[in-house]
Amino acid sequence: MPDRLPELGWMRIFAEVARLGSFSAAAAGLGLTQPAVSYQIRRLEEQFGVALLRRQHRGVELTAEGERLFQVAAKTVGEIDALARSFRTEAQRPVVRLRTDYAFSALWLIPRMHGFRLLHPETIVATQRLEPGFRDDADVVVVFGTKAEFGAIGSLLLQEKVVPVCTPGFLDRNGPFDDPQLLAKAILIHLDSPMPSPWFDWRSYLAEFSVTRDLHAGRGDVSFNTYSLVVQAALSEQGVAIGWMGLVDTLLSTHMLVEAGPPLDAPDRGYWLIPPRSANIDSERLSTWLVDEVGRT
């Protein structure tokens, strides 16, 4: 007997013949001719080197070896058919493509995604990084910017509101920082950004209070290129970070971080919700949920 196992097609044919007890019935169910089914069964018996069926006047019945093979074949074919159905179901599920930045995705969206899936279990949300031409292949976009940039095509989802944050322990040991003059002397955690910064950074934050840092004050500062790392550094008590409301709300509500200075806001700047060029029901569901969730929290 060859070492190569029979192909799945032969297993399916054998399982149908065994289940129905008839070459003709199996052929009709599989969309094959009766001679083709009979030929495949003979090939299968040749490969196994045993008789699998007893041919009778009104059909066939399984031999002892055929019964053993049928138990395996029926289970294998059934499991593969079930897997194929699940693949088709997954492929048919609507996918909503959401483009946003890593900070919004990691700190605001992902912790709340369970709520969206409870409402719309049939919909998959794929978060992606923003790139030039981001509207061309996205259903919904959440992007940080100004009214001048995005006001004509989107709506303000999260206005930029910031507050200095640190851990309670860091505040106890190094604070208080109620006066921005005191913040200027603290160890600050920076987010790398273009100059001028498109969002509040420590330079623009302190400037709002007419505070200028001493040249030697920043020697202990740390800087990171992603906001998630800034938050992690604050949580590990490395200094005071600028906290964007909407992104650090949960950390504040659980007192993992606390406010360490006066808040600021920029009325025409923040995260903008931009709908797709061609709306569809799934993108509208996601957009509505985003607006409702921001309003709720």
Side-chain angles (χ1 to χ4, degrees), residues 103-127:
F104 184 85
S105 176
L107 296 172
W108 191 94
L109 179 67
I110 291 176
R112 294 170 171 83
M113 275 307 305
H114 179 65
F116 180 77
R117 292 196 179 98
L118 288 176
L119 293 173
H120 307 292
E122 75 287 356
T123 304
I124 302 172
V125 177
T127 61

Side-chain angles (χ1 to χ4, degrees), residues 17-18 20-23 53-62:
V17 172
L20 297 172
S22 167
F23 287 142
L53 300 170
R54 281 190 288 270
R55 280 73 171 170
Q56 299 179 330
H57 179 65
R58 292 185 176 275
V60 296
E61 67 178 21
L62 292 169

Side-chain angles (χ1 to χ4, degrees), residues 123-189:
T123 304
I124 302 172
V125 177
T127 61
Q128 306 171 61
R129 292 178 62 85
L130 288 170
E131 297 172 353
F134 55 79
R135 288 190 76 196
D136 295 339
D137 60 349
D139 294 313
V140 178
V141 175
V142 175
V143 59
F144 189 92
T146 65
K147 183 176 182 179
E149 293 174 295
F150 302 113
I153 57 175
S155 56
L156 188 59
L157 183 67
L158 274 176
Q159 177 189 336
E160 184 181 19
K161 297 180 180 180
V162 301
V163 65
V165 295
C166 65
T167 64
F170 187 90
L171 184 62
D172 290 342
R173 290 190 300 274
N174 301 279
F177 305 118
D178 299 334
D179 185 341
Q181 291 281 2
L182 297 174
L183 269 175
K185 299 175 183 179
I187 298 174
L188 303 181
I189 305 170

Side-chain angles (χ1 to χ4, degrees), residues 94 96 120 122-123 278-288:
V96 181
H120 307 292
E122 75 287 356
T123 304
S278 299
N280 60 71
I281 187 171
D282 298 306
S283 63
E284 289 177 356
R285 283 174 178 169
L286 178 57
S287 296
T288 299

